[in-house]
Coordinates of all heavy atoms in Angstrom, one line a residue:
M1 N -19.3 -19.6 -11.5 CA -19.4 -21.0 -11.8 C -17.9 -21.4 -12.1 O -17.1 -20.7 -12.7 CB -20.2 -21.1 -13.1 CG -20.1 -22.5 -13.7 SD -21.5 -22.8 -14.8 CE -21.9 -24.4 -14.3
L2 N -17.6 -22.6 -11.7 CA -16.2 -23.2 -11.9 C -16.0 -23.6 -13.3 O -17.0 -24.1 -14.0 CB -16.0 -24.3 -11.0 CG -15.9 -24.0 -9.5 CD1 -15.7 -25.4 -8.7 CD2 -14.7 -23.1 -9.2
E3 N -14.9 -23.3 -13.8 CA -14.5 -23.8 -15.1 C -14.2 -25.3 -15.1 O -13.8 -25.8 -13.9 CB -13.3 -23.1 -15.7 CG -13.5 -21.6 -16.0 CD -14.5 -21.3 -17.0 OE1 -14.5 -22.1 -18.0 OE2 -15.4 -20.4 -16.9
P4 N -14.3 -26.1 -16.1 CA -13.9 -27.4 -16.0 C -12.5 -27.6 -15.6 O -11.6 -26.8 -15.9 CB -14.0 -28.0 -17.5 CG -15.0 -27.0 -18.1 CD -14.8 -25.7 -17.4
D5 N -12.3 -28.7 -14.8 CA -10.9 -29.0 -14.3 C -10.4 -28.0 -13.3 O -9.2 -27.9 -13.1 CB -9.9 -29.3 -15.4 CG -10.3 -30.3 -16.3 OD1 -10.8 -31.3 -15.8 OD2 -10.2 -30.1 -17.5
T6 N -11.2 -27.2 -12.7 CA -10.8 -26.2 -11.7 C -10.8 -26.9 -10.3 O -11.6 -27.7 -10.0 CB -11.8 -25.0 -11.5 OG1 -12.0 -24.4 -12.8 CG2 -11.5 -24.0 -10.4
A7 N -9.6 -26.6 -9.6 CA -9.4 -27.2 -8.2 C -9.5 -26.1 -7.2 O -8.8 -25.0 -7.6 CB -8.2 -27.9 -8.2
Y8 N -10.0 -26.2 -6.1 CA -10.0 -25.2 -5.1 C -9.3 -25.8 -3.9 O -9.6 -26.9 -3.3 CB -11.4 -24.9 -4.6 CG -11.4 -23.9 -3.4 CD1 -11.2 -22.5 -3.6 CD2 -11.7 -24.4 -2.1 CE1 -11.2 -21.7 -2.5 CE2 -11.7 -23.6 -1.1 CZ -11.4 -22.2 -1.3 OH -11.5 -21.3 -0.1
S9 N -8.2 -25.3 -3.4 CA -7.4 -25.7 -2.3 C -6.7 -24.6 -1.7 O -6.6 -23.5 -2.4 CB -6.6 -26.9 -2.7 OG -5.5 -26.4 -3.5
Y10 N -6.3 -24.8 -0.4 CA -5.4 -23.7 0.0 C -4.3 -24.4 0.9 O -4.6 -25.5 1.5 CB -6.2 -22.6 0.8 CG -7.0 -23.1 2.0 CD1 -6.5 -23.1 3.3 CD2 -8.3 -23.5 1.8 CE1 -7.3 -23.5 4.3 CE2 -9.1 -23.9 2.9 CZ -8.5 -23.8 4.2 OH -9.3 -24.2 5.2
L11 N -3.2 -23.7 1.1 CA -2.1 -24.2 1.9 C -2.0 -23.4 3.1 O -2.0 -22.2 3.1 CB -0.8 -24.1 1.0 CG 0.5 -24.5 1.7 CD1 0.5 -26.0 2.0 CD2 1.7 -24.2 0.8
V12 N -1.8 -24.1 4.2 CA -1.6 -23.3 5.5 C -0.1 -23.5 5.9 O 0.4 -24.6 5.9 CB -2.5 -24.1 6.5 CG1 -2.3 -23.4 7.9 CG2 -4.0 -23.9 6.2
N13 N 0.4 -22.3 6.1 CA 1.9 -22.3 6.5 C 2.1 -21.2 7.6 O 1.1 -20.8 8.2 CB 2.8 -22.0 5.3 CG 2.5 -20.8 4.6 OD1 2.0 -19.9 5.1 ND2 2.8 -20.8 3.3
E14 N 3.3 -20.8 7.8 CA 3.6 -19.9 8.9 C 2.9 -18.5 8.7 O 2.8 -17.6 9.6 CB 5.1 -19.7 9.1 CG 5.8 -19.1 7.9 CD 6.2 -20.0 6.8 OE1 6.0 -21.3 6.9 OE2 6.8 -19.6 5.8
H15 N 2.5 -18.2 7.4 CA 1.8 -17.0 7.2 C 0.4 -17.0 7.7 O -0.3 -16.0 7.6 CB 1.8 -16.6 5.7 CG 3.2 -16.4 5.3 ND1 4.0 -15.3 5.6 CD2 4.1 -17.2 4.5 CE1 5.2 -15.4 5.0 NE2 5.2 -16.5 4.4
W16 N -0.1 -18.1 8.1 CA -1.5 -18.3 8.6 C -1.6 -18.0 10.1 O -2.0 -18.8 10.9 CB -2.0 -19.6 8.2 CG -3.5 -19.8 8.2 CD1 -4.3 -20.5 9.1 CD2 -4.6 -19.1 7.5 NE1 -5.6 -20.3 8.9 CE2 -5.8 -19.5 7.9 CE3 -4.4 -18.1 6.5 CZ2 -7.0 -18.9 7.3 CZ3 -5.6 -17.6 5.8 CH2 -6.8 -18.1 6.3
S17 N -1.1 -16.9 10.5 CA -1.1 -16.6 11.9 C -2.2 -15.7 12.3 O -2.9 -15.1 11.4 CB 0.2 -15.8 12.3 OG 0.2 -14.6 11.7
P18 N -2.6 -15.7 13.6 CA -3.8 -14.7 13.9 C -3.5 -13.3 13.4 O -4.4 -12.6 13.0 CB -3.8 -14.8 15.4 CG -3.3 -16.2 15.7 CD -2.1 -16.3 14.7
Q19 N -2.3 -12.8 13.5 CA -1.9 -11.4 13.0 C -2.1 -11.3 11.6 O -2.7 -10.3 11.1 CB -0.5 -11.1 13.5 CG -0.3 -11.0 14.9 CD 0.0 -12.4 15.6 OE1 0.2 -13.4 14.8 NE2 0.0 -12.5 16.9
A20 N -1.6 -12.3 10.8 CA -1.7 -12.2 9.3 C -3.2 -12.4 8.9 O -3.7 -11.6 8.0 CB -0.9 -13.3 8.7
R21 N -3.9 -13.2 9.6 CA -5.4 -13.5 9.1 C -6.2 -12.2 9.2 O -7.2 -12.1 8.4 CB -6.0 -14.6 10.0 CG -5.5 -16.0 9.6 CD -6.4 -17.1 10.2 NE -6.5 -16.9 11.7 CZ -5.9 -17.8 12.5 NH1 -5.2 -18.7 12.2 NH2 -6.2 -17.5 13.8
A22 N -5.9 -11.4 10.1 CA -6.7 -10.2 10.3 C -6.6 -9.3 9.1 O -7.5 -8.4 8.8 CB -6.2 -9.4 11.5
S23 N -5.6 -9.5 8.2 CA -5.5 -8.6 7.0 C -6.0 -9.2 5.8 O -6.0 -8.6 4.7 CB -4.0 -8.2 6.8 OG -3.2 -9.3 6.5
Y24 N -6.5 -10.5 5.9 CA -7.0 -11.1 4.7 C -8.4 -10.9 4.4 O -9.2 -10.5 5.3 CB -6.9 -12.7 4.8 CG -5.5 -13.2 5.0 CD1 -5.3 -14.4 5.6 CD2 -4.3 -12.5 4.6 CE1 -3.9 -14.9 5.9 CE2 -3.1 -13.0 4.8 CZ -2.9 -14.2 5.3 OH -1.6 -14.7 5.6
A25 N -8.9 -11.0 3.2 CA -10.2 -10.9 2.8 C -10.9 -12.3 2.6 O -10.2 -13.2 2.2 CB -10.4 -10.1 1.5
Y26 N -12.1 -12.4 3.1 CA -12.7 -13.8 3.2 C -14.1 -13.7 2.3 O -14.7 -12.6 2.4 CB -13.0 -14.3 4.6 CG -11.7 -14.4 5.4 CD1 -11.3 -13.3 6.2 CD2 -11.0 -15.5 5.3 CE1 -10.1 -13.5 6.9 CE2 -9.8 -15.7 6.0 CZ -9.4 -14.6 6.8 OH -8.2 -14.8 7.6
L27 N -14.5 -14.7 1.9 CA -15.8 -14.9 1.2 C -16.5 -16.2 1.7 O -15.9 -17.3 1.7 CB -15.7 -14.9 -0.3 CG -16.9 -15.1 -1.1 CD1 -18.0 -14.0 -0.9 CD2 -16.7 -15.3 -2.5
N28 N -17.8 -16.1 2.0 CA -18.5 -17.3 2.4 C -18.6 -18.2 1.3 O -19.1 -17.8 0.2 CB -19.8 -17.0 3.0 CG -20.5 -18.1 3.6 OD1 -20.9 -19.0 3.0 ND2 -20.8 -17.9 4.9
L29 N -18.2 -19.5 1.3 CA -18.3 -20.4 0.2 C -19.7 -20.6 -0.3 O -19.9 -21.0 -1.4 CB -17.7 -21.8 0.7 CG -16.2 -21.7 1.1 CD1 -15.9 -23.1 1.7 CD2 -15.4 -21.3 0.1
A30 N -20.6 -20.4 0.5 CA -22.0 -20.6 0.1 C -22.7 -19.4 -0.5 O -24.0 -19.3 -0.7 CB -22.9 -21.1 1.3
D31 N -22.0 -18.3 -0.8 CA -22.6 -17.1 -1.2 C -23.2 -17.4 -2.6 O -22.5 -17.8 -3.6 CB -21.5 -16.0 -1.4 CG -22.1 -14.7 -1.7 OD1 -23.0 -14.6 -2.5 OD2 -21.6 -13.7 -1.3
E32 N -24.5 -17.2 -2.6 CA -25.3 -17.5 -3.8 C -24.9 -16.4 -5.0 O -25.1 -16.8 -6.1 CB -26.8 -17.3 -3.5 CG -27.3 -18.2 -2.4 CD -27.1 -17.6 -1.0 OE1 -26.6 -16.4 -0.9 OE2 -27.2 -18.3 0.0
T33 N -24.5 -15.2 -4.7 CA -24.3 -14.2 -5.7 C -23.1 -14.6 -6.5 O -22.9 -14.0 -7.6 CB -24.1 -12.9 -5.1 OG1 -22.9 -12.8 -4.2 CG2 -25.4 -12.4 -4.2
V34 N -22.1 -15.4 -6.1 CA -21.0 -15.7 -6.9 C -21.2 -16.9 -7.8 O -20.4 -17.2 -8.7 CB -19.7 -15.9 -6.0 CG1 -19.2 -14.6 -5.4 CG2 -19.8 -16.9 -5.0
G35 N -22.2 -17.6 -7.5 CA -22.7 -18.7 -8.4 C -21.7 -19.9 -8.6 O -21.6 -20.4 -9.6
I36 N -21.0 -20.4 -7.6 CA -20.1 -21.4 -7.7 C -20.9 -22.8 -7.5 O -21.6 -23.0 -6.6 CB -19.0 -21.3 -6.7 CG1 -18.1 -20.1 -6.9 CG2 -18.1 -22.6 -6.8 CD1 -17.1 -19.8 -5.9
D37 N -20.8 -23.6 -8.6 CA -21.4 -24.9 -8.6 C -20.3 -25.9 -8.0 O -19.6 -26.5 -8.8 CB -21.9 -25.3 -10.0 CG -22.6 -26.6 -10.0 OD1 -23.0 -27.0 -9.0 OD2 -22.7 -27.2 -11.0
W38 N -20.3 -26.0 -6.7 CA -19.3 -26.8 -6.1 C -19.4 -28.2 -6.4 O -20.6 -28.8 -6.5 CB -19.3 -26.7 -4.6 CG -18.9 -25.3 -4.1 CD1 -19.8 -24.3 -3.6 CD2 -17.6 -24.7 -4.0 NE1 -19.1 -23.2 -3.3 CE2 -17.8 -23.4 -3.5 CE3 -16.3 -25.2 -4.4 CZ2 -16.7 -22.6 -3.4 CZ3 -15.3 -24.3 -4.3 CH2 -15.5 -23.0 -3.7
P39 N -18.4 -29.0 -6.9 CA -18.6 -30.5 -7.2 C -19.0 -31.3 -6.0 O -19.7 -32.3 -6.2 CB -17.1 -30.8 -7.5 CG -16.2 -29.8 -7.2 CD -17.0 -28.6 -6.9
I40 N -18.8 -30.9 -4.8 CA -19.3 -31.6 -3.6 C -20.2 -30.6 -3.0 O -19.8 -29.4 -2.6 CB -18.2 -31.9 -2.6 CG1 -17.2 -32.9 -3.3 CG2 -18.7 -32.5 -1.4 CD1 -15.9 -33.1 -2.4
P41 N -21.4 -30.9 -2.9 CA -22.4 -29.9 -2.3 C -21.9 -29.5 -0.9 O -21.5 -30.3 -0.1 CB -23.8 -30.7 -2.1 CG -23.6 -31.8 -3.2 CD -22.1 -32.1 -3.2
L42 N -22.1 -28.2 -0.6 CA -21.5 -27.7 0.7 C -22.3 -28.3 1.9 O -21.7 -28.5 3.0 CB -21.6 -26.2 0.8 CG -20.8 -25.5 -0.2 CD1 -20.9 -23.9 -0.1 CD2 -19.3 -25.9 0.0
S43 N -23.5 -28.9 1.6 CA -24.1 -29.5 2.7 C -23.5 -30.8 3.1 O -23.7 -31.3 4.1 CB -25.6 -29.7 2.4 OG -25.7 -30.6 1.1
E44 N -22.7 -31.3 2.1 CA -22.0 -32.7 2.4 C -20.5 -32.4 2.7 O -19.8 -33.3 3.1 CB -22.0 -33.5 1.2 CG -23.5 -34.0 0.8 CD -23.5 -34.7 -0.5 OE1 -22.5 -35.3 -0.9 OE2 -24.6 -34.7 -1.1
A45 N -20.1 -31.2 2.5 CA -18.6 -30.8 2.8 C -18.4 -30.6 4.3 O -19.3 -30.2 5.0 CB -18.2 -29.6 2.0
I46 N -17.2 -30.8 4.7 CA -16.7 -30.5 6.1 C -16.1 -29.1 6.0 O -15.1 -28.8 5.4 CB -15.7 -31.4 6.6 CG1 -16.4 -32.9 6.6 CG2 -15.3 -31.0 8.0 CD1 -15.3 -33.9 6.9
L47 N -16.9 -28.1 6.7 CA -16.5 -26.8 6.7 C -16.1 -26.3 8.2 O -16.8 -26.7 9.1 CB -17.5 -25.8 6.2 CG -18.0 -26.1 4.8 CD1 -19.2 -25.2 4.4 CD2 -16.7 -25.8 3.8
S48 N -15.1 -25.5 8.3 CA -14.7 -25.1 9.7 C -15.7 -24.0 10.2 O -16.4 -23.4 9.3 CB -13.3 -24.5 9.6 OG -13.3 -23.3 9.0
D49 N -15.8 -23.7 11.5 CA -16.6 -22.6 12.0 C -16.2 -21.3 11.3 O -17.0 -20.5 11.0 CB -16.5 -22.6 13.5 CG -17.2 -23.8 14.2 OD1 -18.0 -24.4 13.5 OD2 -16.8 -24.0 15.3
A50 N -14.8 -21.2 11.1 CA -14.4 -19.9 10.4 C -15.0 -19.8 9.0 O -15.4 -18.8 8.6 CB -12.9 -19.9 10.5
D51 N -14.9 -20.9 8.2 CA -15.4 -20.8 6.9 C -16.9 -20.5 6.9 O -17.4 -19.8 6.1 CB -15.2 -22.2 6.2 CG -13.8 -22.4 5.7 OD1 -13.1 -21.4 5.5 OD2 -13.4 -23.6 5.7
L52 N -17.6 -21.1 7.8 CA -19.1 -20.9 7.9 C -19.5 -19.4 8.3 O -20.4 -18.9 8.0 CB -19.8 -21.8 8.9 CG -19.7 -23.3 8.5 CD1 -20.1 -24.1 9.7 CD2 -20.6 -23.5 7.3
A53 N -18.5 -18.8 9.0 CA -18.8 -17.4 9.5 C -18.3 -16.3 8.5 O -18.5 -15.1 8.7 CB -18.0 -17.2 10.8
H54 N -17.7 -16.7 7.4 CA -17.3 -15.7 6.4 C -18.4 -15.0 5.8 O -19.4 -15.5 5.6 CB -16.4 -16.3 5.2 CG -15.0 -16.9 5.8 ND1 -14.4 -16.4 6.9 CD2 -14.3 -17.9 5.4 CE1 -13.2 -17.1 7.0 NE2 -13.3 -18.0 6.2
P55 N -18.2 -13.7 5.5 CA -19.3 -12.9 5.0 C -19.7 -13.2 3.5 O -18.9 -13.7 2.8 CB -18.8 -11.4 5.1 CG -17.3 -11.5 5.0 CD -16.9 -12.9 5.7
R56 N -20.9 -12.7 3.2 CA -21.3 -12.8 1.8 C -20.5 -11.7 1.0 O -20.0 -10.8 1.7 CB -22.8 -12.5 1.6 CG -23.7 -13.6 2.3 CD -23.5 -14.9 1.7 NE -24.5 -16.0 1.8 CZ -24.4 -17.0 2.6 NH1 -23.3 -17.2 3.3 NH2 -25.4 -17.8 2.7
L57 N -20.5 -11.8 -0.4 CA -19.6 -10.9 -1.1 C -20.0 -9.4 -0.9 O -19.0 -8.6 -0.8 CB -19.8 -11.2 -2.6 CG -19.0 -10.4 -3.6 CD1 -17.5 -10.6 -3.2 CD2 -19.3 -10.8 -5.0
A58 N -21.2 -9.1 -0.7 CA -21.6 -7.7 -0.5 C -21.0 -7.1 0.8 O -20.9 -5.9 0.9 CB -23.1 -7.6 -0.5
A59 N -20.6 -7.9 1.7 CA -20.1 -7.5 3.0 C -18.5 -7.7 3.1 O -18.0 -7.4 4.1 CB -20.8 -8.2 4.1
V60 N -17.9 -8.2 2.1 CA -16.5 -8.5 2.1 C -15.7 -7.2 2.1 O -16.0 -6.2 1.4 CB -16.0 -9.3 1.0 CG1 -14.5 -9.4 0.8 CG2 -16.6 -10.7 1.1
A61 N -14.8 -7.1 3.1 CA -13.9 -5.9 3.1 C -12.7 -6.2 2.3 O -12.1 -7.1 2.5 CB -13.5 -5.7 4.6
P62 N -12.6 -5.3 1.2 CA -11.3 -5.6 0.3 C -10.0 -5.5 1.1 O -9.9 -4.8 2.1 CB -11.5 -4.5 -0.7 CG -12.7 -3.7 -0.4 CD -13.2 -4.1 1.0
M63 N -9.1 -6.2 0.6 CA -7.7 -6.2 1.1 C -7.1 -4.9 0.8 O -7.3 -4.3 -0.3 CB -6.9 -7.3 0.7 CG -7.3 -8.7 1.2 SD -6.3 -10.1 0.5 CE -4.7 -9.7 1.3
Q64 N -6.2 -4.4 1.6 CA -5.5 -3.2 1.2 C -4.6 -3.6 0.1 O -3.9 -4.6 0.2 CB -4.6 -2.7 2.5 CG -5.5 -2.1 3.6 CD -6.3 -0.9 3.1 OE1 -5.8 -0.1 2.5 NE2 -7.6 -0.9 3.4
P65 N -4.4 -2.7 -0.9 CA -3.4 -3.0 -1.9 C -2.0 -3.0 -1.4 O -1.7 -2.4 -0.5 CB -3.6 -1.8 -2.9 CG -4.3 -0.8 -2.2 CD -5.1 -1.4 -1.0
R66 N -1.2 -3.9 -1.9 CA 0.2 -4.1 -1.5 C 1.0 -3.1 -2.4 O 0.7 -2.9 -3.6 CB 0.7 -5.5 -1.6 CG -0.2 -6.3 -0.6 CD 0.4 -7.7 -0.6 NE -0.4 -8.4 0.4 CZ 0.1 -9.1 1.4 NH1 1.4 -9.1 1.6 NH2 -0.7 -9.8 2.1
R67 N 2.0 -2.6 -1.8 CA 3.0 -1.8 -2.5 C 3.8 -2.6 -3.5 O 4.3 -3.6 -3.2 CB 3.9 -1.1 -1.6 CG 4.8 -0.1 -2.2 CD 5.5 0.7 -1.2 NE 5.9 1.9 -1.8 CZ 6.4 2.9 -1.0 NH1 6.6 2.8 0.2 NH2 6.8 4.0 -1.6
T68 N 3.9 -2.1 -4.7 CA 4.7 -2.7 -5.8 C 6.1 -2.1 -5.7 O 6.2 -0.9 -5.8 CB 4.0 -2.5 -7.1 OG1 2.7 -3.1 -7.1 CG2 4.9 -3.2 -8.3
V69 N 7.0 -2.9 -5.7 CA 8.4 -2.5 -5.6 C 9.1 -2.9 -6.9 O 9.0 -4.1 -7.4 CB 9.2 -3.1 -4.5 CG1 10.7 -2.8 -4.5 CG2 8.6 -2.7 -3.1
I70 N 9.6 -1.9 -7.7 CA 10.3 -2.1 -9.0 C 11.8 -2.1 -8.7 O 12.2 -0.9 -8.4 CB 9.7 -1.3 -10.1 CG1 8.3 -1.5 -10.3 CG2 10.6 -1.5 -11.3 CD1 7.6 -0.6 -11.3
V71 N 12.5 -3.1 -8.8 CA 13.9 -3.1 -8.7 C 14.5 -2.4 -9.9 O 14.2 -2.6 -11.0 CB 14.5 -4.5 -8.5 CG1 16.1 -4.4 -8.4 CG2 13.8 -5.2 -7.3
G72 N 15.4 -1.4 -9.6 CA 16.0 -0.6 -10.7 C 15.2 0.4 -11.2 O 15.2 0.8 -12.4
A73 N 14.4 1.0 -10.4 CA 13.4 2.1 -10.9 C 14.2 3.4 -11.4 O 13.6 4.1 -12.1 CB 12.5 2.6 -9.9
G74 N 15.5 3.4 -11.1 CA 16.3 4.5 -11.7 C 17.0 4.1 -13.0 O 17.6 5.0 -13.6
G75 N 16.7 2.9 -13.5 CA 17.3 2.5 -14.7 C 16.5 2.7 -15.9 O 15.5 3.5 -15.8
Q76 N 16.8 2.2 -17.1 CA 16.1 2.4 -18.3 C 14.6 2.0 -18.2 O 13.8 2.8 -18.5 CB 16.7 1.7 -19.4 CG 16.2 1.9 -20.7 CD 16.9 1.2 -21.9 OE1 17.8 0.3 -21.6 NE2 16.4 1.3 -23.0
L77 N 14.3 0.9 -17.6 CA 13.0 0.4 -17.5 C 12.2 1.3 -16.5 O 11.0 1.8 -16.8 CB 12.8 -1.0 -17.1 CG 11.4 -1.5 -16.8 CD1 10.6 -1.4 -18.1 CD2 11.4 -3.0 -16.4
G78 N 12.8 1.6 -15.4 CA 12.2 2.4 -14.4 C 11.8 3.9 -15.0 O 10.7 4.4 -14.8
R79 N 12.8 4.4 -15.6 CA 12.5 5.8 -16.3 C 11.4 5.7 -17.3 O 10.6 6.6 -17.3 CB 13.9 6.3 -17.0 CG 14.9 6.7 -15.9 CD 16.0 7.4 -16.6 NE 16.7 6.7 -17.7 CZ 17.7 5.9 -17.7 NH1 18.2 5.6 -16.5 NH2 18.2 5.3 -18.8
A80 N 11.4 4.6 -18.1 CA 10.3 4.5 -19.1 C 8.9 4.3 -18.4 O 8.0 4.9 -18.8 CB 10.6 3.3 -20.0
L81 N 8.9 3.6 -17.3 CA 7.7 3.4 -16.5 C 7.2 4.7 -16.0 O 6.0 5.1 -15.9 CB 7.8 2.3 -15.4 CG 7.9 0.9 -16.0 CD1 8.3 0.0 -14.8 CD2 6.6 0.5 -16.6
R82 N 8.1 5.5 -15.4 CA 7.8 6.8 -14.7 C 7.2 7.7 -15.8 O 6.3 8.5 -15.6 CB 9.0 7.4 -14.1 CG 9.3 6.7 -12.8 CD 10.3 7.5 -11.9 NE 11.4 8.1 -12.6 CZ 12.6 7.6 -12.7 NH1 12.7 6.3 -12.3 NH2 13.6 8.3 -13.3
E83 N 7.8 7.6 -17.0 CA 7.3 8.5 -18.1 C 5.9 8.0 -18.5 O 4.9 8.8 -18.8 CB 8.2 8.4 -19.2 CG 7.8 9.4 -20.4 CD 8.8 9.3 -21.5 OE1 10.1 9.5 -21.3 OE2 8.4 9.3 -22.7
A84 N 5.7 6.7 -18.7 CA 4.4 6.1 -19.1 C 3.3 6.2 -18.0 O 2.1 6.2 -18.3 CB 4.5 4.6 -19.4
L85 N 3.7 6.3 -16.8 CA 2.7 6.3 -15.7 C 2.8 7.6 -14.7 O 3.2 7.5 -13.6 CB 2.9 5.1 -14.7 CG 2.8 3.8 -15.5 CD1 3.3 2.6 -14.6 CD2 1.4 3.5 -15.9
P86 N 2.7 8.7 -15.3 CA 2.9 10.0 -14.6 C 1.8 10.1 -13.4 O 0.8 9.6 -13.5 CB 2.6 11.0 -15.6 CG 1.7 10.5 -16.7 CD 2.1 9.0 -16.7
G87 N 2.3 10.6 -12.4 CA 1.5 10.8 -11.2 C 1.5 9.6 -10.3 O 0.9 9.6 -9.2
T88 N 2.3 8.5 -10.6 CA 2.5 7.5 -9.6 C 3.6 7.9 -8.6 O 4.4 8.8 -8.9 CB 2.8 6.2 -10.3 OG1 4.1 6.3 -11.0 CG2 1.8 5.8 -11.4
S89 N 3.8 7.0 -7.6 CA 4.8 7.3 -6.6 C 6.1 6.6 -7.0 O 7.0 6.4 -6.2 CB 4.4 6.9 -5.2 OG 4.1 5.5 -5.2
L90 N 6.1 6.1 -8.2 CA 7.3 5.3 -8.7 C 8.5 6.3 -8.8 O 8.4 7.3 -9.5 CB 7.0 4.7 -10.1 CG 8.2 4.0 -10.8 CD1 8.5 2.8 -10.0 CD2 7.8 3.6 -12.2
R91 N 9.5 6.0 -8.0 CA 10.7 6.9 -8.0 C 11.9 6.2 -7.6 O 11.7 5.1 -6.9 CB 10.5 8.2 -7.1 CG 10.1 7.7 -5.7 CD 9.6 8.8 -4.8 NE 9.5 8.5 -3.5 CZ 8.5 7.7 -2.9 NH1 7.5 7.3 -3.8 NH2 8.4 7.4 -1.7
P92 N 13.0 6.6 -8.0 CA 14.2 5.9 -7.5 C 14.4 6.1 -6.0 O 14.1 7.1 -5.4 CB 15.4 6.6 -8.3 CG 14.7 7.4 -9.3 CD 13.3 7.6 -8.9
G93 N 14.8 5.0 -5.3 CA 15.0 5.0 -3.9 C 16.4 5.4 -3.6 O 17.2 5.4 -4.5
H94 N 16.8 5.5 -2.3 CA 18.2 5.9 -2.0 C 19.2 4.8 -2.3 O 20.2 5.1 -3.0 CB 18.3 6.1 -0.4 CG 19.6 6.2 0.1 ND1 20.3 7.4 -0.1 CD2 20.5 5.3 0.7 CE1 21.6 7.2 0.4 NE2 21.7 5.9 0.9
W95 N 18.7 3.5 -2.1 CA 19.6 2.4 -2.4 C 19.7 2.3 -4.0 O 20.8 2.0 -4.5 CB 19.0 1.1 -1.9 CG 20.0 0.0 -1.7 CD1 20.8 -0.1 -0.7 CD2 20.3 -1.0 -2.7 NE1 21.6 -1.2 -0.9 CE2 21.3 -1.9 -2.0 CE3 19.8 -1.4 -3.8 CZ2 21.8 -2.9 -2.7 CZ3 20.3 -2.6 -4.5 CH2 21.3 -3.3 -3.9
D96 N 18.7 2.6 -4.7 CA 18.8 2.6 -6.2 C 19.7 3.5 -6.8 O 20.6 3.1 -7.7 CB 17.4 3.0 -6.7 CG 17.3 2.8 -8.2 OD1 17.5 1.8 -8.7 OD2 16.8 3.8 -8.8
R97 N 19.9 4.6 -6.2 CA 20.9 5.6 -6.7 C 22.4 5.1 -6.5 O 23.2 5.5 -7.2 CB 20.7 7.0 -6.0 CG 19.4 7.6 -6.5 CD 19.3 9.1 -6.0 NE 19.2 9.2 -4.5 CZ 18.1 9.2 -3.8 NH1 17.0 9.0 -4.5 NH2 18.1 9.2 -2.6
H98 N 22.5 4.3 -5.6 CA 23.9 3.8 -5.2 C 24.2 2.4 -5.7 O 25.3 2.1 -5.9 CB 24.2 3.9 -3.7 CG 24.0 5.3 -3.2 ND1 25.0 6.3 -3.4 CD2 23.1 6.0 -2.6 CE1 24.7 7.5 -2.9 NE2 23.5 7.2 -2.4
H99 N 23.1 1.6 -5.8 CA 23.4 0.2 -6.1 C 22.5 -0.4 -7.3 O 22.6 -1.5 -7.6 CB 23.1 -0.7 -4.9 CG 24.1 -0.4 -3.8 ND1 23.7 0.5 -2.8 CD2 25.4 -0.7 -3.5 CE1 24.7 0.7 -1.9 NE2 25.7 -0.1 -2.3
G100 N 21.7 0.4 -7.9 CA 20.9 0.0 -9.0 C 19.6 -0.8 -8.6 O 19.2 -1.5 -9.5
A101 N 19.1 -0.6 -7.4 CA 17.9 -1.3 -7.1 C 17.0 -0.4 -6.2 O 17.5 0.4 -5.5 CB 18.2 -2.6 -6.3
E102 N 15.7 -0.7 -6.3 CA 14.7 0.1 -5.5 C 14.4 -0.6 -4.2 O 14.2 -1.8 -4.2 CB 13.5 0.2 -6.3 CG 12.3 0.9 -5.6 CD 12.0 2.2 -6.0 OE1 12.6 2.7 -6.9 OE2 11.1 2.9 -5.4
V103 N 14.3 0.1 -3.2 CA 14.1 -0.6 -1.9 C 12.9 0.0 -1.0 O 12.6 -0.4 0.0 CB 15.3 -0.7 -0.9 CG1 16.3 -1.6 -1.5 CG2 15.8 0.7 -0.6
H104 N 12.2 1.0 -1.5 CA 11.1 1.6 -0.7 C 9.9 1.2 -1.1 O 9.6 0.4 -1.9 CB 11.2 3.2 -0.7 CG 11.2 3.8 -2.0 ND1 9.9 4.0 -2.7 CD2 12.1 4.2 -2.9 CE1 10.2 4.5 -3.8 NE2 11.5 4.6 -4.0

C-alpha cells in the first residue's frame, strides 16, 4: 500500500539501453500480492507493452548485488571495517596502498 504523498515515477536516460535493461529486475504493476492501491486505477492508466509483460513478484528474478567500493580501505576506517566485518572481501587494493583509495 502506498503511503500518503507517495509519488511513483521513473526517469529514462542513457542507462536505459537494451543491454542495461537485461540486468534490471521488474515487477508487474498489477501484482495483487504487493497490495499497491494506485491513485489512478491501472484499468485507466496507459501502460506500455513492456509494463504489462512484467512478472508477478513470485517470478521476479532478483538483481545481482553490486560490488561496494570503499575508498581508502587501507586507512583508519577501512581497517576498522575489516575488523568489524571479518570474512568479507574488503581489502586494500593496489591503488590504495600507493594513493590512499580503493579501486577494485
Side-chain angles (χ1 to χ4, degrees):
M1 171 160 225
L2 292 176
E3 295 295 323
D5 302 317
T6 299
Y8 174 81
S9 65
Y10 61 92
L11 173 66
V12 177
N13 58 26
E14 67 274 1
H15 297 287
W16 196 247
S17 67
Q19 296 81 11
R21 285 194 307 252
S23 67
Y24 297 157
Y26 300 95
L27 174 66
N28 191 298
L29 301 175
D31 187 325
E32 306 81 9
T33 63
V34 295
I36 297 175
D37 183 19
W38 295 104
I40 298 172
L42 294 180
S43 61
E44 297 174 26
I46 299 172
L47 300 173
S48 70
D49 290 340
D51 287 333
L52 294 170
H54 294 329
R56 297 296 202 251
L57 184 59
V60 170
M63 291 181 66
Q64 292 296 316
R66 297 192 181 229
R67 186 174 201 168
T68 300
V69 176
I70 298 177
V71 177
Q76 182 179 1
L77 176 59
R79 289 191 308 269
L81 286 171
R82 289 197 312 272
E83 186 176 315
L85 303 169
T88 65
S89 63
L90 179 64
R91 62 194 183 281
H94 172 76
W95 203 83
D96 186 50
R97 291 189 294 271
H98 297 286
H99 299 91
E102 171 110 2
V103 294
H104 58 81

